[in-house]
Amino acid sequence: MSAGQAATYSGLIKQIDRTIPGGHFRSEKLRVAVERAATEAPKTRQDGKRAFRKAKFAKKR
Amino acid sequence: LRKPPAKSVFINCPFDDRYLPLFRALCLAVLARGRIARCALELSDAGYTRIERLRRLIAGCDLGIHDISRTECSPLPRFNMPFELGFFLGAKGFGPPLQRKKKTLIMDRRRYRYQRFLSDISGQDIQAHSDGPENVVRIVRRWLVANTAPPHPSEAFVLRSYRNYRRWRPRILAELGSQRPDFSDELRVMTYSLKETLKRSRPRAPRRRDRDGRPSR
């Protein structure tokens, strides 16, 4: 996704968040919870592979 | 009457625990396209009969996704899904001009299985998801690309968002102290997961190059 597309898309998602009716979670609390989950969630196999490739490339250079 | 959101998709599928992963995949694929998923789970107004509430819900959605895969008897079969599909097709067929623009996606477990229990819809392009949540994401995304205006997120992005949401969800709910959120809260968790995935996959700035055009360190 290019930077321009990402910006348009980000606006679209914000709009959707405002339009969802009801709900009990407070936005700020939810944002912090998602950020924390994204940082602390266990790494996937794909993440491991990516890290390995990165390290290998750095070593070669 | 509260005016329904203009860009919403009616979701007609089973809501039992066995179908839950597919239902979540379906909702996330809809949200990823910038549409709101609406379904019978949000019908709680006791002032109207259930059929009236359903009618209002269907009238407020220009797109409809129907999953008719639940045909098992436990101990009796559920007829709500084929009924709501008929209701939606009826609105499309007999409604005022705005309702006739409705678009429909019908999914089943296997491609031609529906011919044994709902042969009246023969000739429509039924999509098979083989009970796979990621297949549902792919099918719904492809259908929304064909039936809505851009911007369309890539398949890779939507799948990555779905995997992230599935991975992050238990931690998010544990932190918020809610084990079984209602439909609106679930949609908001999905939306924030999409936002976070987008934030993490922003394209990097192009690398600086030296005079000879080689990337500088």
Side-chain angles (χ1 to χ4, degrees):
Chain A
M1 207 182 280
S2 75
Q5 276 177 323
T8 315
Y9 188 64
S10 175
L12 191 71
I13 300 218
K14 266 185 201 157
Q15 201 183 328
I16 283 298
D17 183 34
R18 281 197 297 266
T19 330
I20 292 171
H24 300 94
F25 295 155
R26 278 175 46 208
S27 302
E28 188 52 31
K29 241 182 153 183
L30 184 56
R31 189 185 62 76
V32 171
V34 172
E35 255 179 30
R36 195 166 295 163
T39 325
E40 292 170 7
K43 299 278 182 250
T44 57
R45 190 178 151 79
Q46 192 60 40
D47 290 330
K49 277 185 187 173
R50 200 172 293 140
F52 176 74
R53 276 201 301 269
K54 230 176 188 176
K56 198 173 157 188
F57 183 65
K59 217 174 178 182
K60 267 188 187 171
R61 281 213 310 191
Chain B
L1 171 74
R2 190 173 171 178
K3 201 179 167 194
K7 293 179 172 181
S8 33
V9 180
F10 175 64
I11 296 187
N12 169 24
C13 66
F15 300 121
D16 53 32
D17 285 351
R18 202 153 55 90
Y19 191 81
L20 216 51
L22 280 86
F23 176 59
R24 288 181 187 147
L26 214 165
C27 291
L28 189 124
V30 169
L31 286 173
R33 174 52 206 90
R35 294 275 182 149
I36 295 183
R38 306 196 69 196
C39 67
L41 286 179
E42 61 182 83
L43 302 177
S44 58
D45 184 0
Y48 298 98
T49 55
R50 196 176 164 84
I51 192 99
E52 176 58 21
R53 281 177 276 161
L54 205 56
R55 189 190 69 76
R56 284 163 182 255
L57 185 60
I58 288 175
C61 300
D62 55 343
L63 302 173
I65 299 175
H66 307 265
D67 190 312
I68 51 169
S69 60
R70 184 53 45 83
T71 47
E72 294 81 6
C73 302
S74 59
L76 291 169
R78 302 274 299 168
F79 294 122
N80 281 349
M81 276 76 72
F83 175 76
E84 286 173 29
L85 169 62
F87 210 167
F88 194 91
L89 293 178
K92 184 178 160 71
F94 306 117
L98 206 66
Q99 296 292 327
R100 287 186 200 170
K101 288 181 183 164
K102 284 184 187 298
K103 304 267 169 57
T104 319
L105 167 69
I106 306 173
M107 293 190 288
D108 192 7
R109 202 170 298 146
R110 287 196 309 275
R111 192 106 193 252
Y112 300 105
R113 197 182 72 113
Y114 71 94
Q115 288 177 346
R116 282 168 29 211
F117 60 89
L118 196 62
S119 56
D120 282 355
I121 56 167
S122 293
Q124 301 198 20
D125 196 17
I126 314 293
Q127 300 290 322
H129 56 58
S130 318
D131 281 334
E134 295 201 359
N135 292 341
V136 169
V137 172
R138 283 190 195 97
I139 292 169
V140 172
R141 188 211 155 254
R142 224 174 294 147
W143 179 72
L144 287 170
V145 166
N147 290 293
T148 56
H152 298 299
S154 67
E155 188 174 297
F157 172 76
V158 183
L159 281 173
R160 195 164 58 239
S161 305
Y162 173 67
R163 287 173 196 143
N164 282 344
Y165 158 73
R166 217 174 43 183
R167 201 151 51 96
W168 299 340
R169 188 180 176 275
R171 278 169 185 259
I172 296 169
L173 295 185
E175 183 149 345
L176 294 169
S178 164
Q179 283 312 306
R180 193 103 187 178
D182 62 20
F183 182 57
S184 299
D185 284 331
E186 194 73 65
L187 290 187
R188 295 194 66 214
V189 171
M190 287 176 192
T191 313
Y192 275 77
S193 302
L194 275 168
K195 270 188 196 173
E196 190 62 28
T197 308
L198 185 66
K199 208 164 86 184
R200 284 166 182 269
S201 59
R202 279 269 162 85
R204 285 187 215 136
R207 282 181 82 177
R208 283 186 192 166
R209 293 181 181 272
D210 60 14
R211 278 184 207 159
D212 304 327
R214 285 181 302 215
S216 60
R217 292 192 180 172

